Amino acid sequence: MGALLAISRGIDAVTRFVGVQVRWLILVAVIVSAANAIIRKTFDTSSNAWLELQWLLFGAVFMLAAAYTLQKNAHVRIDVISSRISKTARDVIDLLGHIFMLAPITLILIWLSAPYFVDSFMEGENSNNAGGLPVWPAKFLVFAGFLLLFFQMISEIIKRSAVLMGIIADPAAETVHGHSPSDTAPSGGHNE
Amino acid sequence: MIDLIAHNLAPIMFLALIAFLLLGYPVAFALAANGLFFFFIAVELSPYSNEISLSWPLLQTLPGRVLDVMRNDTLLAIPFFTFMGIILEKSGMAEDLLDTVGQLFGPIRGGLAYAVILVGALLAATTGVVAASVIAMGLISLPIMLRYGYDRPLATGVIAASGTLAQIIPPSLVLIVLADQLGRSVGDMYSGALIPGLILTALYCAYVLVISILQPQKVPALPLAARTLRGSAFPLLVLMVAALAIAVACYLLLLPRIENGAAIWAATIAVVLAYLFAFSDKKFSLGYLSDLAQRVVIVLVPPLALIFLVLGTIFLGVATPTEGGAMGAAGALAMAIARRRLSFGLLSEALEATTRLSCFVLFILIGSRIFSLTFYGINGHVWVEELFLGIPGGAWGFLIAVNVLVFILGCFIDFFEIAFIVVPLLAPVAAKLGIDLVWFGVILGVNLQTSFLTPPFGFALFYMRSVAPVKAYIDKVTGGKIAGIETTQIYKGAVHFIILQAIMIAVIVMFPGLSITDEGPQVDPSTIDIEILGPDLGGGGTDGGTDSGVPPPPSFD
């Protein structure tokens, strides 16, 4: 188990690094989009490459941060029932969910998106828009996002098992289970 | 047996989805997993039922479906508006607004409540983040309201409800999502929601007015000692009249020269002049304005300018909502820098919160796209359609049923889940019944807004609870002991506002003209969308680039 936990820590460190750094791309996207808008209005011209860059940047953010979001237990859940059952039951649901829900999804998407990206890269596929960007980076993001998510899932399975076996304390204990969508502030939870 | 399953696969899949979701596993993955499992089952069962049109090669479209979500220009507005709201919130705009507007209205009965409602609406027009508004107002206004003896349920209710205005007043995130799911432009949805949002704000104010007449002890005026900004509001009135005069003059001058938006340009000029006047009055101590008037102008104008920058340009058709969002985010950054409130830590925090929100929202959408591949492939939409078309009363019966359904669902699950799972199923039915989808979206928007207020799972109530004092405390100013707030008081306060919301929904249903914009001279923002026309990156996706979230039933051979 010690070795597995070490692997888990390694995965966590990688997804954390990616998930934390990728946030700056939002700032870049804001600047690029604002500049695009101003240039379009003032000079009445626009470049497809720059327009495509906007969504590519945003795509990079949410695809690559998904694994870190999982690590931080910040994907929304419906907690109508889970808030009323024991912590152990919740842990078991999480473990089974990772194995029977997340694993098939990530594996299938990795399996499908690998050739999807490689073919595009080999062909040097270009956007249909005049002067657009190559397509493979976007396709690569689909692949990379699900790959990271898969590894994060492995790490979560290790951690959740260890928690259930009582080897480690719950690393996600401080995050409230099932919190608000539009929440950006500390989630309050019920006091009663 | 297999026949029975094969022919009822859609209802079975839907019930299974409910079970999957109730497990409490992340919604995005539960949706996707449900779609995937039933894809396999459906392909296996396809020989038994001609309603199933799924086959293995269709699985190949999944990466394309993910890519479609990525390439969706509309959704790009989500991180922009979120980022803008968080930057404004963290740079202390809410605090400044509440302080000043509270001082302005404080002297009248119910004044603090009006201030909360107005600031709530102002914050809503800039941020669209309910949590931020409720928490800021709960921290700043609630202690003052308690200190001077406001009725507790009323105080908490008005704060929670005003915070939820962020859901319905543009640029709200839920309207972006609804526009995407209903296949209408965000600009249309924004113009559709604007008037109802303002009416709702007025409705809240009217409620406070009625209370202040019938039960004045519930909403006392601030005593003189509590007013920190000296001076009367009279110079402010003069300034407003002057600004109005300038605006009218500019309008008349501009009208022959500018086709579009003369009024908005005129208003801008007037507001900028008023701001410059107040600013120089303060800078050079000219003494024309009282402290109060000066402060009101200086605090109110920048957010108003930002609101104009964003909403004005969107409504004028100058900018797409995505561009408006980017400009707003840049503007918020500029404002924070100008106020010397922007630090590296703040920026990083804001980006983190934005990333987190974007990530789970977009992944729910990805999950729902995987779900819909299967659900439409087994004619699930036909099943839903038959279900709802069976309701007596045609469009009216449908609207009533949908509102009741969404209201009940809203008591238990988040609006994003409703918007991504339920709305795409309802949209085709609504369209078939001849219901205008913008109108429909606005009705749903107000209904979803209500879900923030409904116990036991109303998020605005959670936020309220998290900032309201639980135990009795000693007030710093008066030295008196103030009892804590009970959760039942928060619930009780919410009920009145839920009733106001219900009235509002009824009003919109009865007067569709409030949200369906008639053929006016205004430019439809959708027509100036810069389309990045669809190269089919979708890997042969059945509903390629211009995805409305209401995918047509796949027509496979």
Side-chain angles (χ1 to χ4, degrees):
Chain A
M1 202 67 205
L4 288 175
L5 281 170
I7 292 173
S8 157
R9 276 193 298 275
I11 295 173
D12 283 4
V14 173
T15 52
R16 187 184 311 116
F17 177 79
V18 175
V20 168
Q21 298 307 324
V22 87
R23 69 173 68 144
W24 295 99
L25 295 182
I26 289 195
L27 191 61
V28 181
V30 166
I31 295 167
V32 168
S33 294
N36 277 345
I38 293 169
I39 289 170
R40 184 170 77 87
K41 269 294 133 192
T42 43
F43 302 108
D44 203 22
T45 169
S46 62
S47 142
N48 278 326
W50 286 97
L51 288 174
E52 289 180 6
L53 187 62
Q54 296 174 193
W55 60 255
L56 190 63
L57 286 165
F58 180 49
V61 172
F62 71 80
M63 285 310 301
L64 300 181
Y68 183 56
T69 308
L70 179 65
Q71 186 187 127
K72 300 286 278 184
N73 189 19
H75 282 287
V76 211
R77 302 156 181 267
I78 290 178
D79 62 351
V80 180
I81 290 177
S82 68
S83 59
R84 280 142 212 251
I85 57 179
S86 75
K87 167 88 175 65
T88 313
R90 280 204 305 261
D91 285 340
V92 172
I93 287 176
D94 259 15
L95 187 61
L96 296 179
H98 292 324
I99 296 171
F100 292 106
M101 295 200 204
L102 194 50
I105 303 163
T106 47
L107 283 173
I108 283 187
L109 271 148
I110 291 169
W111 176 58
L112 292 172
S113 61
Y116 185 64
F117 143 64
V118 173
D119 290 352
S120 170
F121 182 73
M122 293 309 219
E123 289 166 22
E125 184 190 359
N126 239 303
S127 153
N128 286 6
N129 301 310
L133 297 174
V135 178
W136 67 263
K139 293 189 169 178
F140 171 73
L141 287 173
V142 178
F143 172 73
F146 281 98
L147 194 69
L148 278 174
L149 203 51
F150 174 76
F151 280 112
Q152 188 58 44
M153 176 202 75
I154 301 280
S155 164
E156 294 302 316
I157 289 176
I158 295 171
K159 281 187 285 184
R160 207 45 52 196
S161 313
V163 167
L164 279 169
M165 287 188 273
I167 300 174
I168 58 168
D170 192 343
E174 75 279 9
T175 28
V176 181
H177 222 73
H179 58 105
S180 136
S182 64
D183 173 27
T184 51
S187 45
H190 349 239
N191 287 10
E192 313 304 55
Chain B
M1 182 65 194
I2 286 185
D3 264 3
L4 190 70
I5 295 175
H7 287 289
N8 292 300
L9 203 54
I12 295 172
M13 180 176 179
F14 195 74
L15 289 177
L17 176 69
I18 295 173
F20 274 42
L21 291 175
L22 285 178
L23 281 175
Y25 194 66
V27 174
F29 308 137
L31 263 170
N34 181 274
L36 215 51
F37 285 163
F38 279 87
F39 187 90
F40 289 109
I41 295 173
V43 173
E44 290 301 321
L45 291 180
S46 58
Y48 298 94
S49 164
N50 52 12
E51 283 165 18
I52 299 174
S53 49
L54 290 172
S55 59
W56 293 118
L58 274 173
L59 208 54
Q60 305 278 353
T61 64
L62 286 184
R65 289 188 157 238
V66 178
L67 197 67
D68 281 347
V69 172
M70 208 188 286
R71 292 166 5 107
N72 186 326
D73 240 7
T74 307
L75 298 172
L76 198 54
I78 291 178
F80 292 165
F81 283 122
T82 311
F83 179 67
M84 168 181 167
I86 296 170
I87 285 284
L88 289 177
E89 186 242 329
K90 291 199 187 290
S91 62
M93 188 179 82
E95 284 79 354
D96 289 356
L97 281 175
L98 277 173
D99 269 359
T100 313
V101 181
Q103 289 291 326
L104 183 63
F105 288 99
I108 56 172
R109 218 181 267 157
L112 283 175
Y114 295 129
V116 163
I117 296 169
L118 292 181
V119 173
L122 272 177
L123 291 177
T126 51
T127 73
V129 183
V130 174
S133 303
V134 174
I135 289 174
M137 298 198 292
L139 285 174
I140 301 161
S141 294
L142 187 63
I144 308 176
M145 291 170 125
L146 295 180
R147 181 182 304 148
Y148 298 108
Y150 261 66
D151 178 61
R152 282 139 186 280
L154 182 87
T156 56
V158 81
I159 292 174
S162 303
T164 65
L165 286 173
Q167 284 300 306
I168 192 66
I169 294 181
S172 110
L173 297 186
V174 81
L175 291 176
I176 299 176
V177 171
L178 282 173
D180 179 60
Q181 295 294 309
L182 292 169
R184 298 298 299 260
S185 83
V186 178
D188 284 355
M189 201 60 88
Y190 279 179
S191 3
L194 186 65
I195 306 283
L198 294 178
I199 294 179
L200 188 61
T201 311
L203 207 56
Y204 288 176
C205 288
Y207 171 72
V208 172
L209 181 70
V210 170
I211 295 282
S212 70
I213 293 168
L214 297 181
Q215 298 166 303
Q217 75 284 359
K218 281 189 171 182
V219 285
L222 280 189
L224 266 177
R227 298 170 199 168
T228 52
L229 288 174
R230 277 164 302 107
S232 71
F234 182 69
L236 187 66
L237 205 64
V238 175
L239 191 66
M240 277 167 69
V241 172
L244 194 67
I246 295 174
V248 171
C250 289
Y251 178 68
L252 293 177
L253 274 174
L254 286 173
L255 198 55
R257 293 177 181 80
I258 306 179
E259 285 173 40
N260 216 315
I264 291 188
W265 283 113
T268 313
I269 295 170
V271 168
V272 167
L273 286 178
Y275 183 73
L276 287 177
F277 181 71
F279 190 76
S280 42
D281 187 75
K282 183 183 174 194
K283 196 89 184 164
F284 307 114
S285 311
L286 299 178
Y288 289 117
L289 296 173
S290 62
D291 285 358
L292 179 69
Q294 214 179 60
R295 180 122 177 96
V296 168
V297 175
I298 289 176
V299 167
L300 270 180
V301 166
L304 284 175
L306 198 60
I307 292 169
F308 163 74
L309 179 72
V310 176
L311 295 183
T313 49
I314 294 174
F315 288 142
L316 277 180
V318 176
T320 64
T322 305
E323 289 173 332
M327 302 287 287
L333 272 177
M335 253 173 76
I337 292 170
R339 292 147 60 101
R340 303 214 170 82
R341 298 249 175 96
L342 191 75
S343 65
F344 180 82
L346 189 152
L347 187 60
S348 178
E349 257 177 65
L351 288 170
E352 180 190 5
T354 309
T355 305
R356 195 189 328 132
L357 183 132
S358 313
C359 192
F360 75 66
V361 172
L362 272 292
F363 262 79
I364 295 181
L365 185 56
I366 290 175
S368 86
R369 302 282 284 119
I370 297 175
F371 171 81
S372 70
L373 172 70
T374 307
F375 197 66
Y376 285 76
I378 60 174
N379 268 355
H381 56 296
V382 177
W383 169 65
V384 174
E385 224 172 273
E386 282 165 2
L387 211 62
F388 276 95
L389 290 179
I391 296 170
W396 290 98
F398 172 76
L399 279 178
I400 293 168
V402 164
N403 272 302
V404 172
L405 173 78
V406 169
F407 181 84
I408 293 171
L409 284 176
C411 295
F412 299 100
I413 64 179
D414 300 340
F415 63 95
F416 276 127
E417 280 125 46
I418 297 178
F420 283 131
I421 302 170
V422 181
V423 172
L425 299 176
L426 300 176
V429 190
K432 199 161 236 179
L433 287 167
I435 295 171
D436 181 275
L437 287 183
V438 169
W439 179 50
F440 186 58
V442 174
I443 295 170
L444 288 179
V446 180
N447 198 325
L448 289 176
Q449 182 203 349
T450 316
S451 75
F452 275 77
L453 287 172
T454 43
F457 291 101
F459 282 108
L461 305 180
F462 286 173
Y463 305 138
M464 194 64 240
R465 178 68 276 178
S466 71
V467 292
V470 181
K471 298 193 189 93
Y473 65 100
I474 305 291
D475 185 70
K476 277 187 213 126
V477 175
T478 58
K481 190 170 178 175
I482 291 180
I485 292 209
E486 291 161 26
T487 303
T488 47
Q489 290 176 326
I490 296 179
Y491 287 176
K492 204 175 140 198
V495 171
H496 298 253
F497 286 90
I498 294 172
I499 295 170
L500 291 180
Q501 297 280 128
I503 294 173
M504 192 61 217
I505 295 176
V507 167
I508 305 173
V509 170
M510 283 186 291
F511 303 98
L514 293 175
S515 49
I516 302 174
T517 35
D518 45 2
E519 263 42 55
Q522 82 266 31
V523 179
D524 179 4
S526 61
T527 57
I528 59 139
D529 257 344
I530 354 158
E531 280 300 332
I532 304 180
L533 276 170
D536 198 4
L537 302 178
T542 46
D543 41 6
T546 53
D547 178 24
S548 59
V550 192
S555 51
F556 322 114
D557 12 17

